[in-house]
Amino acid sequence: MTALRTPVKESSQIVIVSNRLPVHRVKRSPEDVWEISPGGLVSALTPVLQSKPSTWVGWAGVAGKAPAPFEHEGIRNHPVALSKKDVEAFYEGFSNRTLWPLYHDAVRPPEYRRRWWWPYVKINRRFAEIAVEVVAQKGTVWVHDYHLQLVPAMIREMRPDVRIGFFMHIPFPPQELFVQLPWRRRILEGLLGADVVGFQTRLGAQNFARLARRFTNATGSRENLQYEGRRIVSEAFPISIDVERFEKLAQSPEITSRSREFRTKLGADRKIILGVDRLDYTKGIDIRLRAYQELLRSGKTNLNDCVLVQVATPSRQRVAEYRELRSHIEQFVGEINGEFGELGRTPVHYLHRNLPAEELAALYLAADVMLVTPLRDGMNLVAKEYVACRTDDSGTLVLSEFTGSAEELSSALLVNPHDLDGLEAAIDTALHLPIEEQHRRMRPLRRLIKRHDVFYWADMFLKALKR
Ligand code: ADP
Ligand code: G6P
C-alpha cells in the first residue's frame, strides 16, 4: 500500500497521539511501502478518525528521520521521529519490557532499567511538543496507551487552554504490582495531567484512583478526583469495533464464497476451530495448543472431526521474549502435526503473517469455534470481530475470563486459561454445542456489540471530556 503525501499545515481541533500511526513504513526494495499497523489500538481508532476531521501524531514504525506529514485514507498523519537508540530504550525497553509485562499481571518478569527511563521521559516530551504544535486554540488532545503516560501533564504545562484526554488500551494493574515500578509517582502525575483518564474496565479505573490517592496529592473519588485545583474523571470506557463494517464484510458475496472455499480446503466434514492473535505471550496461544493436543490424545475428538487454524500476527520481533515465543509456538505446532497428522490432513494450520480484513472476516465466518484465551488482555477486539461476523447467530466463542471483553460478552463460553482441564472441556463442549444453544449464547453478544460499537465508545469519551 502506498500513502498519499500532502503536507498538512493547518491546526486541528482534535489531535490523537499514540505511539503508532495507523500505517507504518516497511523497508522494501526498490522502495519502501506503507502497511496497516498491527494491533487493536489502530484497528479501533482508524474508523473513528476517518469519520472526524483530526490529526494523528505518532511514529511511522521505522527508526530514523520522520517522513513529512501526509494524508492517507482520510486521516492526517503527523509522524514523530525515533532514532535506533530511542526505539531500543523507549519502545522495546521501557514500553515493552517494563510496562507491558507489569501491566499484564507480570506474566513475564518486568525489567526495571534506569537507562530506559530517561529516554521514556525524553520521547514523551517529543510527542507532547508535536501535539501542542498541531492542536488548535482550545482544541482537544486525546493521548493513547502505555507508551505515552507522561504526555498529558507535559501538554498541560505547555498549553493549559486545551482539553486533554487519556485512554489506556491495556489493563491498569492492581496496587500490589504497580508499586514495584521505581517511577510510579511520576507515571501517576503524568496521567493526572489529563481531564479524563479512561480505562477498559471499572477495575482499571479503580486501581488508578487508589494509586493516585496513595502516591500523589490527589483526593476524592474515582469519578471525581481532585488534583492541583482541577477535577479529573477516571472511568471505564470499554473499547469496541466498527461492527457494521464487519457485518457488511461477512454478508458480502465475495467473503461468503471465500469462506466456503476455506471450508472446502480444510475439509467440509471437519469443525473449524480458529485462533487469531498478535504473537504475544499474553495471548495464551501455547495454552490453547496444549489443550487441543490433550483433546486429540484423549480420543474425544480426532483429526477427521476438527482442525485448528491459528493466525499469528508478527509482533515486536526484536524483543527477545517475542522471538523465544515464536520458536516455542512453531515447535509446538510441529509437534502436534507430527504426532497426529496424516498425509493430506493436518491438525493445526499455522499462518504467521498479516492478513487483510477481508481474509480475517472470511475466516471468522468459516470458524465453528473461536478460541480467545489470553492470560490477561485489556479488551481483545478479535472476540468482538468474530461476534460481528456471525450474522446468523451460529458459532461459539470460547473466551478467557481475563480479557476486558469477558465483562461484556458474558454469554460466551468463559474459561480460565490457567485451568487446562477446564479449557480442554470447553473446547470439547464448543465442538458439540447444539445449534439452538449456539443461538442462545450468540444473540445477546451480537445485541451488545451492536449497541456499543467503536463510534459509541468515542462519543462517550469525548462527551466526558467536554463536561
Ligand atoms: P492486540 O491489540 O493486543 O493486538 P486485539 O485483539 O484487541 O489485540 O486486536 C488485534 C487486532 O489486530 C484486531 O483488530 C485483529 O483483526 C487484528 N489482527 C489480528 N491478527 C491479524 C493478522 N494476522 N492480520 C491483520 N490483522 C490482524
Ligand atoms: C496493543 C497495544 C498498542 C500497540 C499494539 C501493537 O494493542 O495496546 O498500543 O500498538 O498492541 O503493538 P506494537 O508494539 O506493534 O505497536
Side-chain angles (χ1 to χ4, degrees), residues 299-351:
K300 285 187 201 141
T301 191
N302 65 56
L303 182 66
N304 295 317
D305 289 340
C306 65
V307 53
L308 172 64
V309 178
Q310 176 64 55
V311 181
T313 325
S315 187
R316 304 177 193 163
Q317 295 181 87
R318 285 169 41 89
V319 176
E321 285 83 359
Y322 287 77
R323 281 200 303 275
E324 282 156 21
L325 177 74
R326 180 176 173 193
S327 48
H328 171 59
I329 297 294
E330 292 181 354
Q331 205 175 332
F332 204 172
V333 168
E335 190 183 308
I336 301 174
N337 284 340
E339 188 175 343
F340 298 101
E342 284 169 15
L343 295 181
R345 205 147 249 214
T346 315
V348 186
H349 287 261
Y350 171 79
L351 309 179

Side-chain angles (χ1 to χ4, degrees), residues 40-325:
L41 181 151
V42 163
S43 313
L45 285 177
T46 301
V48 172
L49 265 83
Q50 281 167 338
S51 70
K52 279 186 207 306
S54 37
T55 298
W56 193 328
V57 172
W59 177 47
V62 277
K65 260 183 78 193
F70 63 92
E71 195 162 327
H72 178 261
E73 295 191 354
I75 297 177
R76 286 195 262 164
N77 293 275
H78 197 115
V80 177
L82 294 185
S83 69
K84 198 161 165 275
K85 278 199 169 146
D86 295 337
V87 173
E88 278 165 20
F90 157 75
Y91 170 69
E92 292 162 6
F94 199 78
S95 298
N96 286 318
R97 299 183 76 165
T98 307
L99 297 173
W100 180 268
L102 177 68
Y103 284 27
H104 286 89
D105 282 0
V107 296
R108 289 281 191 284
E111 292 173 60
Y112 302 113
R113 304 252 173 104
R114 281 170 296 181
R115 66 185 165 83
W116 293 341
W117 166 248
W118 288 111
Y120 184 79
V121 178
K122 182 182 82 178
I123 303 303
N124 270 246
R125 187 159 296 285
R126 187 175 301 162
F127 276 81
E129 281 167 354
I130 295 181
V132 303
E133 244 174 57
V134 293
V135 68
Q137 268 296 315
K138 299 203 168 159
T140 297
V141 181
W142 190 3
V143 186
H144 292 262
D145 233 356
Y146 60 105
H147 316 83
L148 301 176
Q149 295 172 95
L150 305 178
V151 170
M154 290 171 171
I155 292 179
R156 181 163 301 282
E157 211 182 286
M158 292 183 271
R159 286 285 299 276
D161 61 295
V162 297
R163 291 292 284 174
I164 306 167
F166 181 93
F167 185 76
M168 183 69 85
H169 290 251
I170 69 172
F172 196 75
Q175 295 204 46
E176 313 83 88
L177 284 174
F178 190 82
V179 290
Q180 289 182 10
L181 190 64
W183 308 276
R184 57 200 182 188
R185 188 177 50 80
R186 295 288 303 276
I187 295 281
L188 294 165
E189 286 170 351
L191 292 170
L192 286 166
D195 297 293
V196 176
V197 189
F199 297 90
Q200 301 281 24
T201 61
R202 209 177 137 87
L203 197 61
Q206 254 162 17
N207 290 342
F208 171 69
R210 283 196 189 123
L211 283 156
R213 283 193 300 261
R214 177 164 165 199
F215 290 104
T216 75
N217 297 328
T219 55
S221 63
R222 177 170 54 85
E223 284 161 32
N224 192 5
L225 280 172
Q226 299 295 324
Y227 180 69
E228 295 189 337
R230 290 183 299 114
R231 173 178 180 230
I232 294 146
V233 173
S234 149
E235 243 185 83
F237 298 89
I239 203 167
S240 192
I241 57 165
D242 183 349
V243 175
E244 210 183 304
R245 173 170 176 248
F246 277 95
E247 279 188 344
K248 277 197 183 137
L249 277 176
Q251 286 169 328
S252 75
E254 296 79 21
I255 306 288
T256 40
S257 100
R258 183 77 176 137
S259 142
R260 272 197 299 273
E261 200 181 313
F262 286 153
R263 290 203 72 100
T264 314
K265 272 191 185 158
L266 291 165
D269 48 339
R270 295 161 100 195
K271 291 261 168 77
I272 299 174
I273 309 171
L274 177 66
V276 174
D277 313 76
R278 247 181 339 95
L279 195 43
D280 194 294
Y281 52 78
T282 57
K283 301 288 183 185
I285 302 172
D286 49 347
I287 297 178
R288 97 183 54 136
L289 286 172
R290 173 79 60 211
Y292 180 59
Q293 181 185 45
E294 295 210 349
L295 201 60
L296 289 171
R297 280 185 180 159
S298 74
K300 285 187 201 141
T301 191
N302 65 56
L303 182 66
N304 295 317
D305 289 340
C306 65
V307 53
L308 172 64
V309 178
Q310 176 64 55
V311 181
T313 325
S315 187
R316 304 177 193 163
Q317 295 181 87
R318 285 169 41 89
V319 176
E321 285 83 359
Y322 287 77
R323 281 200 303 275
E324 282 156 21
L325 177 74

Side-chain angles (χ1 to χ4, degrees), residues 277 282-284 288 372-377 380 400 402-403 417:
D277 313 76
T282 57
K283 301 288 183 185
R288 97 183 54 136
V372 178
T373 59
L375 298 169
R376 178 58 75 192
D377 208 333
N380 197 285
S400 160
F402 302 105
T403 60

Side-chain angles (χ1 to χ4, degrees), residues 39-40 43 276 278 283 311 313 353-355 360 364 380-382 385:
S43 313
V276 174
R278 247 181 339 95
K283 301 288 183 185
V311 181
T313 325
R353 73 188 77 129
N354 279 306
L355 296 176
L360 282 181
Y364 291 141
N380 197 285
L381 296 182
V382 163
E385 289 168 3

